[in-house]
Amino acid sequence: MTAQEVRLCGLLLQEHFGEVVERIGTHLLRGGAQNLRTIANETNTPLDLVKKSLCVLVQHGACEFGSGRRGPGSPVEYRANCERVLRVLRYPRYIYTAKTLYGDTGELIVEEVLQRGHMTMSNTVKTVADRLTHNMEEGRSMEYSEVVSAFSKLVETHFLQRCPPVAEMGTAASSTTPATPSTPAAPASTAPPTAESNPDCYKLPHVTLIGRGKRRRSSDDSEEQRGGKKAKMEVESCGDEGIYWQVNFERFHQHFRDQAVISAVASKLDQTSSEIVRTMLRMSEVTTTQTAAYTQPLSANEIFRSLPPNYSISRPILDQYLSLLVDDPMEFVGKSGDSGGGMYVVNLQRALANLARATLESVVQERFGSRSARIFRLLLRKRHLEQKQVEDFAMIPAKEAKDMLYTLLSENLVQLQEIPKTPDHAPSRTFYLYTVNQLPTARLLLQHCYKTVANLIERRLFETKENKRLLEKSQRIEAILASLQASGAEPEQLTEVEEMITAPERQQLEALRHHINKLDSTENQVDETVFLLESYIFSTKTK
Amino acid sequence: MAGLGRGRGRGKGYMSFSIEAVGIGKGENLPPSILQPTPLFPPMEHKPVPLVMGEEAEYMLALKQEFRGNMKTLPFYVRQAVSKKDVERYSDKYQNSEPSDNTIEWNPDWKRLPKELRIRVKKPLKENTSLSVDTPVDPKPSKKTRVDKEEIIHKLETLEKKEEEVTSDEGEKKKQEEEQQDGEEEYDEEEFEEETDYIMSYFDNGEEFGGDSDDNMDEAIY
């Protein structure tokens, strides 16, 4: 948990859950596992507010609780999960992906589950059906069965998963363990159970949800209320109480990674080769684990059979493409054998490393110019070079090369490695070599990205605060306009109300909106880089 | 680092390593050393690449802003109860719409949370159009308060009948008002949830009061 990460988490919590939750969350992130009393005392917050905030955090999976350090008798300790809070930044991307894969219904399902942290299936279906009905024309409503089918598709492809069962604490655990009572009861599982450890993780509950979405109308209140009560009764007797569903972020990340690899292949080679890689990845979706370095080997025959029907290429051409992919220096695809017409794998880890390297190079290029980028790429490839060698290989005059190297050095993108000739490390008899290490540099850039996003959010909050008065005024006027229009006012009245905002104020509002939109979309874009770097770093961790 | 700075207290220009090794020639002009922090907004030599624009980016932007807006309306957005610094008003007892610290506005699954986190669930205001998931506890208290209300009214009625000054007109009038109250389902439940000293139906606004009991002048009319 670096300082930048904690700062960014704090801002995200503040924007989505309020300042109280932000205070509690930041305190937990900084301080590690703590119990309820400690949190309340150290943050000077009333106990009930602390309880409320912890409920919110646990609901959204940002906080876990477990029995304390001193065994099952000690008070419950809470631990915040930094990574989970940082995911909030990527929510729009998840929702958009669900939309591209499963349409509007899928999009709304994922949005609802993300908003509420975790939900039961029946609850989700009802809410989504109502929302869809609200957007449809008069007289039409959404069938529950359609929503259920979209939900089950999401579960089948593992985008949604069941929440892990809560570990029993206290007396219940000690009664179930058959161990002798004299031995001190060590906690059965020190780590909280993950979702994947549950064998029923992706099993849909057997509930029959029959009904249609209800449209919210202001005219027939009483009918709506009665209808609402009836629907509530239906939901309660649905039988899937206690089975909560959450979004499976890892699966979405897998999808994003596949997308990144495919688009890299498409831009480096051509569309057909990217289709081949897409087919290979699709075939190995279920057989590849999260942290696999490469997919399972696939024979060329299988690939040929599984190609999409509109991409009818002949068998020898497929072989040519495959050999082209294998020979490519990017090493996206590797050949692992010759049986079945050639066994091919997609090198996921290497692909990620290459993507991260391309990101680093492009960062250096945009910040320091293409010649510094040339030096950087050189050092990445040749590992260790002396000052003189850098000048020669990069074909840059000495003075400029020196200047660029020192700039890169001061930014910590390039490191200096000493190699002593003599045991006394005399400076005149030591080699000083410039070097670039990809992994530490990637980590550095990732921290920079977190800092960038935090700065963007702060700037956006600042801009909003500066123009708060103006924003409130425009909101009030919009509300007045809406109510006037609803009650059928004449155009003169509407223009009169509209003129309450003067022209320079309107311009100011327009500029403000433009700035905020720009800041927001920048956050989304930085998050793409964050994802790439995070995936790369994660892939190197688990060997 | 490799000692690129000046050696402490050794005089100007002496470094712990030979400068030629790092590539600085003899007598070359080094850039002057900077003795102040870098400026807050340094001039950028290379302007950043423009943002990616397009349908996808705009849609995600809209999603993001909508999501943020929605989160502010959900009960997960915890607001600290603001204590009013003004004079304590009578209506505060009956119109408390501010979130209070010791209640939680949504109904989590308490089986998934440790026991110590359990706090009172605030019953949501009976909104006409929303289909919020009410707690199953809801119908009972409202019935209970209605039962309470009816009990209290009943008690008062019997008390009134005992008092002989009260005319039958007033009794009838009160019964009418009570029936009206029972019929109105959309009355603000919150007012009845609090332990009130006065029943809302007991106090009427006085419009019918003056007209009916004109003939009963021995009781003082306030």
Side-chain angles (χ1 to χ4, degrees), chain A residues 78 107 244 427 520 523 525, chain B residues 16-17 51 59 64 109 116:
Chain A
Y78 302 91
E107 175 196 0
Y244 294 97
D520 264 328
E523 282 172 40
Q525 239 187 298
Chain B
S16 60
F17 60 95
L51 284 177
Y59 193 79
K64 186 181 174 117
D109 187 2
E116 60 182 7

Side-chain angles (χ1 to χ4, degrees), chain A residues 318-346:
Chain A
L318 171 71
D319 286 334
Q320 277 183 347
Y321 266 114
L322 282 169
S323 55
L324 208 66
L325 279 166
V326 169
D327 290 334
D328 189 72
M330 278 280 171
E331 289 182 334
F332 287 120
V333 174
K335 190 162 182 182
S336 71
D338 285 314
S339 60
M343 301 295 276
Y344 296 94
V345 291
V346 178

Side-chain angles (χ1 to χ4, degrees), chain B residues 153 156-179 201-202 209 212-213 216 219:
Chain B
I153 293 169
L156 277 169
E157 275 183 71
T158 47
L159 281 173
E160 284 163 16
K161 285 205 176 64
K162 283 188 199 148
E163 295 176 7
E164 275 149 41
E165 291 96 274
V166 180
T167 62
S168 54
D169 289 330
E170 285 195 276
E172 270 178 285
K173 190 175 23 105
K174 277 203 186 59
K175 277 212 192 73
Q176 272 173 20
E177 283 194 295
E178 280 148 20
E179 277 165 9
S201 61
Y202 185 71
F209 195 71
D212 276 352
S213 41
N216 196 19
E219 168 133 35

Side-chain angles (χ1 to χ4, degrees), chain A residues 14-21 23 36 46 48-49 51-52 54-56 58-60 65 76 78 89 91-93 95-96 99 107 111 114-116 118 123 126 130-131 163-164 166 169 214 216-218 221 224-225 228-229 232 236 242 244 366-369 387 399 402 406 409 416 418 427-428 432 434 460 516-518 520-525, chain B residues 1-4 15-18 21-25 28 31 41 45-53 55-57 59-61 63-68 70-72 74-81 99-106 108-119 126-136 138-139 185-186:
Chain A
Q14 184 186 342
E15 287 225 293
H16 293 265
F17 302 113
E19 290 191 2
V20 181
V21 179
R23 220 179 323 147
L36 187 60
D48 286 315
L49 271 182
K51 288 185 191 171
K52 238 201 273 196
L54 285 172
C55 286
V56 171
V58 173
Q59 171 83 13
H60 282 85
F65 58 90
V76 177
Y78 302 91
L89 203 51
Y91 280 1
R93 203 168 167 195
I95 303 174
Y96 183 72
K99 185 192 173 81
E107 175 196 0
E111 193 178 340
L114 282 173
Q115 269 181 358
R116 313 252 167 183
H118 55 73
N123 217 352
K126 190 167 78 72
D130 289 339
R131 272 182 76 174
C163 290
V166 178
M169 291 180 310
K214 306 271 182 303
R216 277 195 254 147
R217 260 188 281 257
S218 50
D221 299 347
E224 203 55 55
Q225 266 195 347
K229 272 216 176 66
K232 186 184 64 173
E236 277 179 19
Y244 294 97
E366 294 303 329
R367 276 220 136 153
F368 302 106
Q387 168 77 41
K399 215 179 289 193
K402 242 180 292 172
Y406 294 156
L409 195 62
L416 209 52
E418 296 175 11
S428 57
Y432 290 97
Y434 289 99
R460 181 161 45 81
I516 291 188
N517 285 349
K518 218 171 177 95
D520 264 328
S521 46
T522 316
E523 282 172 40
N524 283 342
Q525 239 187 298
Chain B
M1 282 310 202
L4 274 173
M15 279 174 235
S16 60
F17 60 95
S18 79
V22 212
I24 308 174
E28 214 179 293
F41 293 109
E45 293 124 24
H46 304 275
K47 297 282 179 239
V49 180
L51 284 177
V52 172
M53 278 302 157
E55 219 182 278
E56 191 179 316
Y59 193 79
M60 288 220 276
L61 171 69
L63 277 175
K64 186 181 174 117
Q65 290 178 334
E66 217 182 275
F67 192 88
R68 237 195 345 251
N70 285 343
M71 287 305 280
K72 291 209 157 68
L74 283 176
F76 302 121
Y77 198 93
V78 176
R79 293 184 171 88
Q80 193 154 11
S100 57
D101 277 355
N102 59 350
T103 55
I104 192 170
E105 281 97 14
W106 48 289
D109 187 2
W110 296 112
K111 288 188 270 233
R112 291 183 69 88
L113 294 167
K115 284 198 207 70
E116 60 182 7
L117 286 187
R118 192 165 183 147
I119 46 183
K126 199 161 184 188
E127 294 176 50
N128 297 333
T129 52
S130 83
L131 301 168
S132 55
V133 181
D134 289 359
T135 68
D138 244 356
E185 287 190 323
E186 271 111 60

